[in-house]
Amino acid sequence: MDIADNRRVKQLIVLGNGFDLTCGLKSQYEDFYSSVKDNFNNILVDYAFGTKLKNPNWTDVESNLLDLLNSFASYYKGVYDGDVAMLFDLLDNLSSKYRSRGDLEEHIRDQKLENLPIAFSLMKEEVKEFEKRLAIYLKSQILIGNYYRNSRKLAVSLCLAEYRNDLLCAYEGSRTEKYAERKRLMQTGEYIADFFSFNYTPVYKGANPHQIQNIHGNIDGNNTILGIDGHEAEDDLLEFTKTYRLLSHSQVTERIDLSQRFHCIKFFGHSLGEADYSYFQSIFDGLDLYNAKTKLFFYFEVYDPEKRTEIISNNYHAVSKLLKHYGETFKSNPDHGKNLMHKLILEGRLTVKELDCSLLDK
């Protein structure tokens, strides 16, 4: 139902995994790995645990996938110079797992996969299996604790932030009254938002979202995907990129019109990592960020009081890096790119701040 005419402000809210974590969901890959380490035979899990002791980012599944694909490609091209023993173990486990499949038997020789295309075909199966198991895990976690309630409250808080900040903070004896007013405002549609989510989890109806787009699929639709960044991927890796894999979900009808004139874009819980820069560029290009009046709000939660200074600094750094990178895409007018962030600050269109989450009962 399109109720855009009722909106006092048009806002786009971009969600990352920090949203789910703030809501109490154990959605980090480390949590998932711990839950399946003894009962899930999958190469991505094996590789993660195999590199844990020497890789501080061992849970980064997309980086691990890229490392595996590059390692296999190098091995079959005869130029691999990494941990040969571990690579052989992974290939042996992969071939053993699929030996019983008649259509692959002829391509396995002495426990070794015959060529790179066969190895990659099995990797596609492993990725799909990983996605399905991850979706099952997230569904089970959602049923534990207060995720439904907290995600609704946090989504509403994001909708009201900057416009009704008086309804974000909890004071003694005022919760019931504030919750009633928040609910009323969401029902009227004045402050409802479009949600652009990088998570696999849904945005629940209590926030009365105008539109929702889970860019990488969602667990309710059983269409979750993971993939590598396609920006510099070699041709033989294209089928493993997020962009390529998104093509298989082109039938999804719920897509946000990123060219509409949003009054503001609010980010919460996203690391703003380089792997997702292409998405942010599409959003900023769509609304013509340099010339538009759109305000940007980058929210964060101080999840550890002892790391408060570090968390704040990391957020300022991530925002600065993102906008600097986006400015570098202004090929036709490099000067605009260089002063983009300065312009946003002068015009009061850029804010990085902590979001008060005190109305969440975690």
Side-chain angles (χ1 to χ4, degrees), residues 84-362:
V84 176
M86 183 177 73
L87 184 66
F88 280 1
D89 284 343
L90 291 172
L91 284 169
D92 285 348
N93 291 340
L94 191 62
S95 61
S96 296
K97 180 176 177 180
Y98 289 91
R99 278 185 72 83
S100 60
R101 290 177 50 163
D103 58 331
L104 292 175
E105 188 70 30
E106 62 180 286
H107 298 292
I108 300 175
R109 298 287 183 267
D110 300 323
Q111 294 290 331
K112 294 291 189 298
L113 300 176
E114 193 174 74
N115 54 48
L116 182 60
I118 297 302
F120 275 6
S121 72
L122 297 190
M123 283 298 298
K124 293 174 191 174
E125 296 300 317
E126 293 293 279
V127 171
K128 292 176 183 177
E129 183 184 66
F130 186 96
E131 292 165 344
K132 291 179 181 177
R133 191 63 175 267
L134 177 62
I136 291 172
Y137 168 77
L138 291 174
K139 287 180 180 179
S140 70
Q141 291 301 305
I142 283 177
L143 298 176
I144 302 172
N146 298 318
Y147 179 77
Y148 286 104
R149 181 174 62 182
N150 286 334
S151 64
R152 181 181 70 249
K153 291 178 180 178
L154 181 52
V156 170
S157 295
L158 285 165
C159 289
L160 296 177
E162 310 308 323
Y163 301 102
R164 287 298 302 270
N165 288 336
D166 59 308
L167 298 179
L168 304 185
C169 306
Y171 299 103
E172 190 70 28
S174 66
R175 283 178 176 261
T176 301
E177 179 183 343
K178 288 192 173 186
Y179 284 146
E181 178 64 5
R182 284 156 60 100
K183 183 177 181 179
R184 185 191 70 78
L185 288 175
M186 289 298 98
Q187 290 176 335
T188 64
E190 295 177 65
Y191 296 104
I192 64 173
D194 293 308
F195 285 87
F196 190 85
S197 178
F198 286 82
N199 301 331
Y200 299 130
T201 48
V203 177
Y204 289 99
K205 301 301 182 182
N208 195 21
H210 181 250
Q211 278 189 299
I212 305 169
Q213 185 173 347
N214 289 78
I215 187 61
H216 297 143
N218 67 80
I219 56 178
D220 286 350
N222 295 315
N223 61 354
T224 57
I225 68 165
L226 63 88
I228 62 175
D229 179 28
H231 184 60
E232 297 181 352
E234 299 292 336
D235 287 348
D236 54 1
L237 303 185
L238 287 179
E239 291 184 70
F240 292 93
T241 63
K242 292 178 182 178
T243 303
Y244 188 100
R245 302 203 66 221
L246 282 170
L247 289 174
S248 65
H249 299 289
S250 59
Q251 73 278 9
V252 177
T253 58
E254 190 74 357
R255 298 194 180 276
I256 297 172
D257 177 10
L258 297 178
S259 66
Q260 60 184 297
R261 289 294 174 254
F262 291 106
H263 294 87
C264 67
I265 302 178
K266 300 174 179 177
F267 299 79
F268 183 83
H270 199 292
S271 65
L272 307 180
E274 293 184 25
D276 292 323
Y277 276 3
S278 58
Y279 294 114
F280 300 134
Q281 181 176 339
S282 296
I283 294 172
F284 295 157
D285 283 350
L287 57 87
D288 187 13
L289 181 61
Y290 189 89
N291 296 305
K293 302 298 182 182
T294 307
K295 295 182 178 181
L296 303 182
F297 297 95
F298 293 87
Y299 296 113
F300 60 88
E301 180 195 16
V302 178
Y303 53 85
D304 184 345
E306 295 184 0
K307 296 182 178 180
R308 181 178 185 82
T309 301
E310 178 184 351
I311 292 170
I312 294 174
S313 177
N314 287 343
N315 276 275
Y316 277 114
H317 179 76
V319 172
S320 299
K321 186 177 178 182
L322 168 63
L323 293 176
K324 178 178 181 294
H325 180 275
Y326 179 61
E328 291 171 351
T329 67
F330 290 16
K331 302 301 183 182
S332 61
N333 196 331
D335 289 338
H336 280 186
K338 291 177 182 178
N339 73 2
L340 172 63
M341 189 159 64
H342 187 67
K343 182 177 188 289
L344 292 173
I345 294 173
L346 286 179
E347 295 177 351
R349 295 169 54 204
L350 177 59
T351 302
V352 183
K353 65 186 291 188
E354 180 181 1
L355 183 72
D356 192 319
C357 299
S358 61
L359 279 177
L360 270 65
D361 297 322
K362 290 183 287 184

